[in-house]
Coordinates of all heavy atoms in Angstrom, one line a residue:
M218 N 0.8 -1.2 0.0 CA 0.0 0.0 0.0 C 0.9 1.3 0.0 O 1.9 1.3 0.6 CB -0.9 0.0 1.3 CG -2.3 0.6 1.1 SD -2.9 0.7 -0.6 CE -3.7 -1.0 -0.7
W219 N 0.4 2.3 -0.7 CA 1.2 3.5 -0.8 C 0.9 4.3 0.5 O -0.2 4.4 1.0 CB 0.7 4.4 -2.0 CG 1.1 3.7 -3.3 CD1 0.3 2.9 -4.0 CD2 2.3 3.9 -4.0 NE1 1.0 2.5 -5.2 CE2 2.2 3.1 -5.2 CE3 3.5 4.6 -3.8 CZ2 3.2 3.1 -6.1 CZ3 4.5 4.6 -4.7 CH2 4.4 3.8 -5.9
T220 N 1.9 5.0 1.0 CA 1.7 5.9 2.1 C 2.3 7.3 1.7 O 3.2 7.3 0.9 CB 2.4 5.4 3.4 OG1 3.8 5.2 3.1 CG2 1.8 4.1 3.9
E221 N 1.7 8.3 2.3 CA 2.2 9.6 2.0 C 3.0 10.2 3.2 O 2.5 10.2 4.3 CB 1.0 10.5 1.7 CG 1.4 11.9 1.3 CD 0.3 12.7 0.7 OE1 -0.8 12.2 0.3 OE2 0.4 14.0 0.6
K222 N 4.2 10.6 3.0 CA 5.0 11.2 4.0 C 6.1 12.1 3.4 O 6.6 11.8 2.3 CB 5.6 10.2 5.0 CG 6.7 9.3 4.3 CD 7.5 8.6 5.4 CE 8.7 7.9 4.7 NZ 9.6 7.2 5.7
D223 N 6.4 13.2 4.2 CA 7.4 14.1 3.7 C 7.2 14.5 2.3 O 8.2 14.5 1.5 CB 8.8 13.6 3.9 CG 9.1 13.2 5.4 OD1 8.5 13.9 6.3 OD2 9.9 12.3 5.6
N224 N 6.0 14.8 1.9 CA 5.7 15.3 0.5 C 6.0 14.3 -0.6 O 6.4 14.7 -1.7 CB 6.4 16.6 0.2 CG 5.8 17.8 1.0 OD1 4.6 17.9 1.1 ND2 6.6 18.7 1.5
H225 N 5.9 13.0 -0.3 CA 5.9 12.1 -1.4 C 5.1 10.9 -1.0 O 4.8 10.6 0.1 CB 7.4 11.7 -1.7 CG 8.2 11.1 -0.6 ND1 9.2 11.8 0.0 CD2 8.1 9.9 0.0 CE1 9.7 11.0 1.0 NE2 9.1 9.8 0.9
L226 N 4.7 10.2 -2.1 CA 4.0 8.9 -1.9 C 5.1 7.8 -1.9 O 6.0 7.9 -2.8 CB 3.1 8.6 -3.1 CG 1.8 9.5 -3.2 CD1 1.0 9.1 -4.4 CD2 1.0 9.5 -2.0
T227 N 5.1 6.9 -1.1 CA 6.1 5.9 -1.0 C 5.5 4.5 -0.9 O 4.5 4.3 -0.3 CB 7.1 6.1 0.1 OG1 8.2 5.2 0.0 CG2 6.5 6.1 1.5
R228 N 6.2 3.5 -1.5 CA 5.8 2.1 -1.4 C 7.0 1.2 -1.7 O 7.8 1.6 -2.5 CB 4.7 1.8 -2.4 CG 4.1 0.4 -2.2 CD 2.9 0.1 -3.0 NE 2.7 -1.4 -3.1 CZ 1.8 -2.0 -3.8 NH1 0.9 -1.3 -4.5 NH2 1.7 -3.3 -3.8
S229 N 7.1 0.2 -0.9 CA 8.2 -0.8 -1.1 C 7.7 -2.1 -1.7 O 6.6 -2.5 -1.3 CB 8.9 -1.1 0.2 OG 9.5 0.1 0.7
F230 N 8.4 -2.7 -2.5 CA 8.0 -3.9 -3.2 C 9.1 -5.0 -3.0 O 10.3 -4.7 -3.1 CB 7.8 -3.7 -4.7 CG 6.8 -2.7 -5.1 CD1 7.2 -1.3 -5.2 CD2 5.5 -3.0 -5.3 CE1 6.3 -0.3 -5.5 CE2 4.6 -2.0 -5.6 CZ 5.0 -0.7 -5.7
K231 N 8.7 -6.2 -2.8 CA 9.7 -7.3 -2.7 C 9.3 -8.4 -3.7 O 8.2 -8.9 -3.6 CB 9.7 -7.9 -1.3 CG 10.8 -8.8 -1.0 CD 10.9 -9.3 0.4 CE 11.9 -10.3 0.6 NZ 11.9 -10.8 2.0
F232 N 10.2 -8.7 -4.6 CA 10.0 -9.6 -5.7 C 10.7 -11.0 -5.4 O 11.4 -11.1 -4.4 CB 10.5 -9.0 -7.0 CG 9.7 -7.8 -7.4 CD1 10.1 -6.6 -6.9 CD2 8.6 -7.9 -8.2 CE1 9.4 -5.4 -7.3 CE2 7.9 -6.8 -8.5 CZ 8.3 -5.5 -8.1
R233 N 10.5 -11.9 -6.3 CA 11.1 -13.2 -6.0 C 12.6 -13.2 -6.2 O 13.3 -13.8 -5.4 CB 10.5 -14.2 -7.1 CG 10.4 -15.6 -6.6 CD 9.5 -16.5 -7.4 NE 9.5 -16.2 -8.8 CZ 8.6 -16.7 -9.6 NH1 7.8 -17.5 -9.2 NH2 8.6 -16.3 -10.9
D234 N 13.1 -12.4 -7.1 CA 14.5 -12.2 -7.3 C 14.8 -10.9 -8.1 O 13.9 -10.2 -8.4 CB 15.0 -13.5 -8.1 CG 14.3 -13.7 -9.4 OD1 13.6 -12.7 -9.9 OD2 14.3 -14.9 -9.9
F235 N 16.1 -10.7 -8.4 CA 16.5 -9.5 -9.0 C 15.9 -9.4 -10.4 O 15.5 -8.3 -10.9 CB 18.0 -9.4 -9.2 CG 18.5 -8.3 -10.0 CD1 18.5 -7.0 -9.4 CD2 18.9 -8.4 -11.3 CE1 19.0 -5.9 -10.2 CE2 19.4 -7.4 -12.0 CZ 19.4 -6.1 -11.5
K236 N 15.8 -10.5 -11.1 CA 15.3 -10.5 -12.5 C 13.9 -10.0 -12.5 O 13.5 -9.2 -13.4 CB 15.3 -12.0 -13.0 CG 15.2 -12.1 -14.5 CD 15.4 -13.5 -14.9 CE 14.7 -13.8 -16.2 NZ 14.8 -15.3 -16.5
E237 N 13.0 -10.4 -11.6 CA 11.7 -9.9 -11.6 C 11.6 -8.4 -11.1 O 10.8 -7.7 -11.7 CB 10.8 -10.8 -10.6 CG 10.5 -12.1 -11.2 CD 9.2 -12.7 -10.7 OE1 8.6 -12.2 -9.8 OE2 8.8 -13.8 -11.2
A238 N 12.4 -8.1 -10.2 CA 12.5 -6.7 -9.7 C 12.8 -5.8 -10.9 O 12.2 -4.7 -11.1 CB 13.5 -6.5 -8.6
F239 N 13.8 -6.2 -11.7 CA 14.3 -5.3 -12.8 C 13.3 -5.3 -13.9 O 13.1 -4.3 -14.6 CB 15.7 -5.8 -13.3 CG 16.4 -4.7 -14.0 CD1 17.0 -3.7 -13.3 CD2 16.3 -4.6 -15.4 CE1 17.6 -2.6 -14.0 CE2 17.0 -3.6 -16.1 CZ 17.6 -2.6 -15.4
A240 N 12.6 -6.4 -14.2 CA 11.5 -6.5 -15.2 C 10.4 -5.5 -14.8 O 9.9 -4.8 -15.7 CB 11.0 -7.9 -15.3
F241 N 10.1 -5.5 -13.6 CA 9.0 -4.6 -13.1 C 9.5 -3.1 -13.3 O 8.7 -2.3 -13.8 CB 8.8 -4.9 -11.6 CG 8.1 -3.8 -10.8 CD1 6.7 -3.6 -11.0 CD2 8.8 -3.0 -9.9 CE1 6.0 -2.6 -10.3 CE2 8.1 -2.0 -9.2 CZ 6.7 -1.8 -9.4
M242 N 10.7 -2.8 -12.9 CA 11.3 -1.5 -13.1 C 11.3 -1.1 -14.6 O 11.0 0.1 -14.9 CB 12.7 -1.4 -12.5 CG 12.7 -1.6 -11.0 SD 14.4 -1.7 -10.4 CE 15.0 0.0 -10.4
T243 N 11.5 -2.0 -15.4 CA 11.5 -1.7 -16.9 C 10.1 -1.3 -17.3 O 9.9 -0.3 -18.1 CB 12.0 -2.9 -17.7 OG1 13.3 -3.2 -17.3 CG2 12.0 -2.6 -19.2
E244 N 9.1 -2.0 -16.8 CA 7.7 -1.7 -17.1 C 7.3 -0.3 -16.5 O 6.6 0.4 -17.2 CB 6.8 -2.8 -16.6 CG 6.9 -4.1 -17.3 CD 5.7 -5.0 -17.0 OE1 5.8 -5.7 -16.0 OE2 4.8 -5.0 -17.8
V245 N 7.8 -0.1 -15.3 CA 7.5 1.2 -14.7 C 8.1 2.4 -15.5 O 7.5 3.4 -15.8 CB 8.0 1.3 -13.2 CG1 7.8 2.7 -12.7 CG2 7.2 0.3 -12.4
A246 N 9.3 2.1 -16.0 CA 10.0 3.1 -16.8 C 9.2 3.5 -18.1 O 9.1 4.6 -18.5 CB 11.4 2.6 -17.2
V247 N 8.6 2.5 -18.7 CA 7.8 2.7 -19.9 C 6.6 3.6 -19.6 O 6.3 4.5 -20.3 CB 7.4 1.4 -20.6 CG1 6.4 1.6 -21.7 CG2 8.6 0.6 -21.1
V248 N 5.9 3.2 -18.5 CA 4.8 4.0 -18.1 C 5.2 5.5 -17.7 O 4.5 6.4 -18.1 CB 4.1 3.4 -16.9 CG1 3.0 4.3 -16.3 CG2 3.4 2.1 -17.3
A249 N 6.3 5.6 -17.0 CA 6.8 6.9 -16.7 C 7.0 7.8 -17.9 O 6.7 9.0 -17.9 CB 8.1 6.8 -15.8
E250 N 7.6 7.2 -18.9 CA 7.8 8.0 -20.1 C 6.5 8.3 -20.8 O 6.3 9.4 -21.4 CB 8.7 7.1 -21.1 CG 10.2 7.2 -20.7 CD 10.8 8.6 -20.9 OE1 11.0 9.0 -22.1 OE2 10.9 9.3 -19.9
E251 N 5.6 7.3 -20.8 CA 4.3 7.6 -21.4 C 3.6 8.7 -20.8 O 3.0 9.6 -21.6 CB 3.5 6.3 -21.3 CG 2.1 6.3 -21.9 CD 1.3 5.1 -21.4 OE1 1.8 4.0 -21.3 OE2 0.1 5.3 -21.2
I252 N 3.6 8.9 -19.5 CA 2.8 9.9 -18.9 C 3.7 11.1 -18.4 O 3.3 12.0 -17.8 CB 2.0 9.4 -17.7 CG1 2.9 8.9 -16.5 CG2 1.1 8.3 -18.1 CD1 2.1 8.5 -15.3
N253 N 5.0 11.0 -18.8 CA 6.0 12.0 -18.5 C 6.0 12.4 -17.0 O 5.9 13.6 -16.6 CB 5.7 13.3 -19.3 CG 6.9 14.3 -19.3 OD1 8.0 13.8 -19.0 ND2 6.6 15.5 -19.4
H254 N 6.0 11.4 -16.2 CA 6.1 11.6 -14.7 C 7.0 10.4 -14.2 O 6.7 9.3 -14.5 CB 4.7 11.6 -14.1 CG 4.8 12.2 -12.8 ND1 5.1 13.6 -12.6 CD2 4.5 11.8 -11.5 CE1 5.0 13.9 -11.3 NE2 4.6 12.8 -10.6
H255 N 8.0 10.7 -13.5 CA 9.1 9.8 -13.2 C 9.3 9.5 -11.7 O 9.3 10.5 -10.9 CB 10.4 10.2 -13.9 CG 10.2 10.5 -15.4 ND1 9.7 11.6 -15.9 CD2 10.5 9.7 -16.4 CE1 9.7 11.5 -17.2 NE2 10.1 10.3 -17.6
P256 N 9.6 8.3 -11.4 CA 9.8 8.0 -10.0 C 11.2 8.2 -9.5 O 12.2 8.1 -10.3 CB 9.5 6.5 -9.9 CG 10.0 6.0 -11.3 CD 9.7 7.1 -12.3
W257 N 11.4 8.5 -8.2 CA 12.7 8.2 -7.6 C 12.6 6.8 -7.1 O 11.5 6.4 -6.6 CB 12.8 9.2 -6.3 CG 14.1 8.9 -5.6 CD1 15.3 9.5 -5.8 CD2 14.3 7.8 -4.6 NE1 16.2 8.9 -4.9 CE2 15.6 7.9 -4.2 CE3 13.5 6.9 -4.0 CZ2 16.2 7.0 -3.3 CZ3 14.0 6.0 -3.1 CH2 15.3 6.1 -2.7
W258 N 13.6 6.0 -7.2 CA 13.6 4.7 -6.7 C 14.9 4.2 -6.3 O 16.0 4.7 -6.7 CB 12.9 3.7 -7.7 CG 13.5 3.7 -9.1 CD1 14.7 4.0 -9.5 CD2 12.8 3.2 -10.3 NE1 14.8 3.8 -10.8 CE2 13.7 3.3 -11.3 CE3 11.5 2.7 -10.5 CZ2 13.3 2.9 -12.6 CZ3 11.2 2.3 -11.8 CH2 12.1 2.5 -12.8
S259 N 14.9 3.1 -5.5 CA 16.2 2.4 -5.2 C 15.9 0.9 -5.4 O 14.7 0.5 -5.2 CB 16.6 2.7 -3.8 OG 15.8 2.1 -2.8
N260 N 16.9 0.2 -5.7 CA 16.8 -1.2 -5.9 C 18.0 -1.9 -5.3 O 19.1 -1.5 -5.4 CB 16.8 -1.5 -7.5 CG 17.1 -3.0 -7.7 OD1 18.1 -3.3 -8.4 ND2 16.3 -3.9 -7.2
S261 N 17.7 -2.9 -4.5 CA 18.7 -3.8 -4.0 C 18.2 -5.2 -4.1 O 17.2 -5.6 -3.5 CB 19.0 -3.4 -2.5 OG 19.9 -4.3 -2.0
Y262 N 18.9 -6.0 -5.0 CA 18.5 -7.3 -5.3 C 17.0 -7.4 -5.6 O 16.6 -7.0 -6.7 CB 18.9 -8.3 -4.2 CG 18.5 -9.7 -4.5 CD1 18.9 -10.3 -5.7 CD2 17.9 -10.5 -3.5 CE1 18.5 -11.6 -6.0 CE2 17.5 -11.8 -3.8 CZ 17.8 -12.4 -5.0 OH 17.5 -13.7 -5.3
N263 N 16.2 -8.0 -4.7 CA 14.8 -8.2 -5.1 C 13.9 -7.1 -4.5 O 12.6 -7.2 -4.6 CB 14.3 -9.6 -4.6 CG 14.4 -9.7 -3.1 OD1 15.1 -9.0 -2.4 ND2 13.6 -10.7 -2.6
K264 N 14.4 -6.1 -4.0 CA 13.6 -5.0 -3.3 C 13.7 -3.7 -4.1 O 14.8 -3.3 -4.6 CB 14.1 -4.8 -1.9 CG 13.8 -5.9 -1.0 CD 14.3 -5.6 0.4 CE 14.1 -6.8 1.3 NZ 15.1 -6.8 2.4
V265 N 12.5 -3.1 -4.3 CA 12.4 -1.8 -5.0 C 11.6 -0.9 -4.1 O 10.5 -1.2 -3.6 CB 11.7 -2.0 -6.3 CG1 11.6 -0.6 -7.0 CG2 12.4 -2.9 -7.3
E266 N 12.2 0.3 -3.8 CA 11.5 1.3 -3.1 C 11.2 2.4 -4.0 O 12.1 2.9 -4.7 CB 12.3 1.8 -1.9 CG 11.6 2.8 -1.0 CD 12.5 3.6 -0.1 OE1 13.6 3.1 0.2 OE2 12.0 4.7 0.3
I267 N 10.0 2.9 -4.0 CA 9.6 4.0 -4.9 C 9.1 5.2 -4.2 O 8.3 5.0 -3.2 CB 8.6 3.5 -6.0 CG1 9.2 2.4 -6.8 CG2 8.0 4.7 -6.8 CD1 8.2 1.9 -7.9
R268 N 9.5 6.4 -4.6 CA 9.0 7.6 -4.0 C 8.5 8.5 -5.1 O 9.2 8.7 -6.1 CB 10.0 8.3 -3.2 CG 10.5 7.6 -1.9 CD 11.5 8.3 -1.2 NE 12.3 7.4 -0.3 CZ 13.4 7.7 0.3 NH1 14.0 8.9 0.1 NH2 14.0 6.9 1.1
L269 N 7.3 9.0 -5.0 CA 6.7 9.9 -6.0 C 6.4 11.3 -5.4 O 5.8 11.4 -4.4 CB 5.4 9.3 -6.5 CG 5.5 7.8 -7.0 CD1 4.1 7.3 -7.4 CD2 6.5 7.7 -8.2
T270 N 6.9 12.3 -6.2 CA 6.6 13.6 -5.8 C 6.6 14.4 -7.1 O 7.1 14.0 -8.1 CB 7.6 14.2 -4.8 OG1 7.2 15.5 -4.4 CG2 9.0 14.4 -5.4
T271 N 6.1 15.6 -7.1 CA 6.1 16.5 -8.3 C 7.0 17.6 -8.1 O 6.7 18.6 -7.3 CB 4.6 16.9 -8.6 OG1 3.8 15.8 -8.8 CG2 4.6 17.8 -9.9
H272 N 8.2 17.5 -8.8 CA 9.2 18.6 -8.6 C 8.6 19.9 -9.2 O 8.9 21.0 -8.6 CB 10.5 18.3 -9.4 CG 10.9 16.8 -9.4 ND1 11.0 16.0 -10.5 CD2 11.1 16.0 -8.3 CE1 11.3 14.8 -10.1 NE2 11.4 14.8 -8.8
D273 N 7.9 19.8 -10.3 CA 7.3 21.0 -10.9 C 6.3 21.7 -10.0 O 6.0 22.9 -10.3 CB 6.6 20.6 -12.2 CG 7.5 20.0 -13.2 OD1 8.7 20.0 -13.1 OD2 7.0 19.4 -14.2
A274 N 5.9 21.1 -9.0 CA 4.9 21.7 -8.1 C 5.6 21.9 -6.7 O 4.9 21.8 -5.7 CB 3.6 20.9 -8.0
G275 N 6.9 22.2 -6.7 CA 7.6 22.4 -5.5 C 7.7 21.2 -4.6 O 7.7 21.4 -3.4
H276 N 7.9 20.1 -5.2 CA 8.1 18.8 -4.4 C 6.9 18.6 -3.5 O 7.0 18.4 -2.3 CB 9.4 18.9 -3.6 CG 10.6 18.8 -4.4 ND1 11.3 17.7 -4.8 CD2 11.3 19.8 -5.1 CE1 12.3 17.9 -5.5 NE2 12.3 19.2 -5.7
T277 N 5.7 18.6 -4.1 CA 4.5 18.2 -3.4 C 3.8 17.0 -4.1 O 4.2 16.8 -5.3 CB 3.5 19.4 -3.3 OG1 3.1 19.8 -4.7 CG2 4.1 20.6 -2.6
V278 N 2.9 16.4 -3.4 CA 2.2 15.3 -4.0 C 1.0 15.9 -4.8 O 0.2 16.6 -4.2 CB 1.7 14.3 -2.9 CG1 0.8 13.2 -3.5 CG2 2.9 13.6 -2.2
T279 N 0.9 15.5 -6.1 CA -0.2 16.0 -6.9 C -0.9 14.8 -7.5 O -0.5 13.7 -7.3 CB 0.4 16.9 -8.1 OG1 1.2 16.1 -8.9 CG2 1.2 18.0 -7.5
N280 N -1.9 15.1 -8.3 CA -2.6 14.1 -9.0 C -1.8 13.3 -9.9 O -2.0 12.1 -10.1 CB -3.8 14.7 -9.8 CG -4.7 13.6 -10.3 OD1 -5.2 12.8 -9.6 ND2 -4.9 13.6 -11.6
R281 N -0.7 13.9 -10.4 CA 0.2 13.1 -11.3 C 0.9 12.0 -10.6 O 1.1 10.9 -11.1 CB 1.3 14.1 -11.9 CG 0.7 15.2 -12.8 CD 1.8 16.1 -13.3 NE 2.7 15.5 -14.3 CZ 3.8 16.0 -14.7 NH1 4.3 17.1 -14.1 NH2 4.5 15.4 -15.6
D282 N 1.2 12.2 -9.3 CA 1.8 11.2 -8.5 C 0.8 10.1 -8.2 O 1.1 8.9 -8.2 CB 2.3 11.8 -7.1 CG 3.4 12.8 -7.4 OD1 4.4 12.5 -8.0 OD2 3.1 14.0 -7.0
H283 N -0.5 10.5 -7.9 CA -1.5 9.4 -7.7 C -1.8 8.6 -8.9 O -2.0 7.4 -8.8 CB -2.8 10.1 -7.1 CG -2.6 10.6 -5.7 ND1 -2.6 9.8 -4.6 CD2 -2.5 11.9 -5.2 CE1 -2.5 10.5 -3.5 NE2 -2.4 11.8 -3.9
V284 N -1.7 9.3 -10.1 CA -2.0 8.5 -11.3 C -0.8 7.5 -11.5 O -1.1 6.3 -11.9 CB -2.1 9.5 -12.5 CG1 -2.0 8.8 -13.8 CG2 -3.4 10.3 -12.4
L285 N 0.4 8.0 -11.4 CA 1.5 7.0 -11.5 C 1.5 5.9 -10.5 O 1.8 4.7 -10.9 CB 2.9 7.8 -11.5 CG 4.2 7.0 -11.7 CD1 4.1 6.2 -13.0 CD2 5.4 7.9 -11.6
A286 N 1.2 6.3 -9.3 CA 1.1 5.2 -8.2 C 0.1 4.2 -8.6 O 0.3 3.0 -8.4 CB 0.7 5.9 -6.9
Q287 N -1.0 4.6 -9.1 CA -2.1 3.6 -9.5 C -1.6 2.7 -10.7 O -1.8 1.5 -10.7 CB -3.4 4.4 -9.9 CG -4.5 3.5 -10.4 CD -4.9 2.4 -9.4 OE1 -4.8 2.6 -8.2 NE2 -5.4 1.3 -9.9
R288 N -0.9 3.4 -11.6 CA -0.4 2.6 -12.8 C 0.6 1.6 -12.3 O 0.7 0.4 -12.8 CB 0.2 3.5 -13.8 CG -0.7 4.5 -14.5 CD -1.6 3.7 -15.6 NE -0.9 3.1 -16.6 CZ -0.5 3.7 -17.8 NH1 -0.9 5.0 -18.0 NH2 0.1 3.1 -18.7
I289 N 1.5 2.0 -11.3 CA 2.5 1.1 -10.8 C 1.9 -0.1 -10.0 O 2.3 -1.2 -10.1 CB 3.5 1.9 -9.9 CG1 4.3 2.8 -10.7 CG2 4.4 0.9 -9.1 CD1 5.2 3.8 -9.9
S290 N 0.8 0.2 -9.3 CA 0.1 -0.8 -8.5 C -0.4 -1.9 -9.4 O -0.4 -3.1 -9.1 CB -1.0 -0.2 -7.7 OG -0.5 0.6 -6.7
V291 N -1.0 -1.5 -10.6 CA -1.5 -2.4 -11.5 C -0.4 -3.3 -12.0 O -0.6 -4.6 -12.1 CB -2.2 -1.7 -12.7 CG1 -2.6 -2.6 -13.8 CG2 -3.5 -1.0 -12.2
L292 N 0.8 -2.8 -12.4 CA 1.9 -3.6 -12.8 C 2.4 -4.5 -11.7 O 2.6 -5.7 -12.0 CB 3.1 -2.7 -13.2 CG 2.9 -1.7 -14.4 CD1 4.1 -0.8 -14.6 CD2 2.6 -2.5 -15.7
A293 N 2.5 -4.0 -10.5 CA 3.0 -4.9 -9.4 C 2.1 -6.1 -9.2 O 2.5 -7.1 -8.8 CB 3.1 -4.0 -8.1
E294 N 0.8 -5.8 -9.3 CA -0.2 -6.9 -9.1 C 0.1 -8.1 -9.9 O -0.1 -9.3 -9.5 CB -1.6 -6.4 -9.3 CG -2.6 -6.8 -8.3 CD -3.9 -6.1 -8.4 OE1 -3.9 -4.9 -8.2 OE2 -4.9 -6.7 -8.9
R295 N 0.6 -7.9 -11.2 CA 0.9 -9.0 -12.1 C 2.1 -9.8 -11.6 O 2.2 -10.9 -12.1 CB 1.2 -8.4 -13.5 CG 0.0 -7.8 -14.2 CD 0.1 -8.0 -15.7 NE -0.1 -6.7 -16.3 CZ 0.8 -6.0 -17.0 NH1 2.0 -6.4 -17.1 NH2 0.4 -4.9 -17.5
Y296 N 2.9 -9.2 -10.7 CA 4.0 -10.0 -10.2 C 3.6 -10.7 -8.8 O 4.4 -11.3 -8.2 CB 5.2 -9.1 -9.9 CG 5.8 -8.6 -11.2 CD1 5.3 -7.5 -11.9 CD2 6.9 -9.3 -11.8 CE1 5.8 -7.0 -13.1 CE2 7.5 -8.8 -13.0 CZ 6.9 -7.7 -13.6 OH 7.5 -7.3 -14.8
G297 N 2.3 -10.4 -8.5 CA 1.8 -11.0 -7.2 C 2.4 -10.4 -6.0 O 2.6 -11.0 -4.9
V298 N 2.9 -9.1 -6.1 CA 3.4 -8.4 -4.9 C 2.5 -7.3 -4.5 O 1.6 -6.9 -5.2 CB 4.8 -7.9 -5.2 CG1 5.8 -9.0 -5.5 CG2 4.8 -6.8 -6.3
Ligands
H2B17 C1 9.3 19.0 -18.3 C2 8.7 17.8 -17.7 O1 7.3 17.7 -17.9 C3 8.9 17.7 -16.2 O2 10.3 17.8 -15.9 C4 8.3 16.5 -15.6 C5 9.0 15.2 -15.9 N1 8.9 14.2 -14.9 C6 8.6 14.5 -13.6 N2 8.5 13.6 -12.7 C7 8.2 13.9 -11.4 N3 8.2 12.9 -10.5 N4 8.0 15.1 -11.1 C8 8.0 16.1 -11.9 O3 7.7 17.3 -11.6 C9 8.3 15.8 -13.3 N5 8.3 16.8 -14.2

């Protein structure tokens, strides 16, 4: 589940292995380019942490973040995470 703190939406994902984590990240990257809104993220082996904020709105959470979060959740569901 996404949580909002310090002016960003954040969620952590744990995949089966690095390969799945990176495949997920690749899919997120395609969506980010499509809607021109991009995540901050970190990856370590099978874990991906994502933070969403809108720099253009002074680093606040906007509808663009909620839209991307929803799109990411749909992708994540396909990995069963
Ligand atoms: C010019 C372009 O629309 C902006 O730089 C976009 C691109 N991607 C972005 N991504 C995020 N997360 N926040 C932004 O404010 C943002 N702005």
Side-chain angles (χ1 to χ4, degrees):
M218 213 24 85
W219 293 92
T220 57
E221 186 168 342
K222 66 164 192 180
D223 299 333
N224 287 322
H225 59 255
L226 295 180
T227 185
R228 186 174 164 184
S229 296
F230 302 89
K231 188 175 177 183
F232 297 87
R233 211 163 32 190
D234 52 25
F235 174 76
K236 198 174 153 185
E237 287 207 355
F239 201 81
F241 165 75
M242 291 173 78
T243 303
E244 291 196 276
V245 171
V247 171
V248 169
E250 281 293 282
E251 182 191 319
I252 66 176
N253 193 28
H254 201 62
H255 303 83
W257 175 95
W258 55 21
S259 71
N260 161 242
S261 177
Y262 181 49
N263 63 340
K264 290 181 188 153
V265 178
E266 183 195 339
I267 296 182
R268 294 180 198 165
L269 306 176
T270 189
T271 303
H272 322 120
D273 296 349
H276 292 267
T277 59
V278 174
T279 66
N280 189 54
R281 296 176 73 193
D282 299 299
H283 287 288
V284 167
L285 180 55
Q287 177 56 28
R288 294 286 299 268
I289 291 171
S290 292
V291 170
L292 294 175
E294 223 169 291
R295 289 209 231 113
Y296 292 84
V298 299

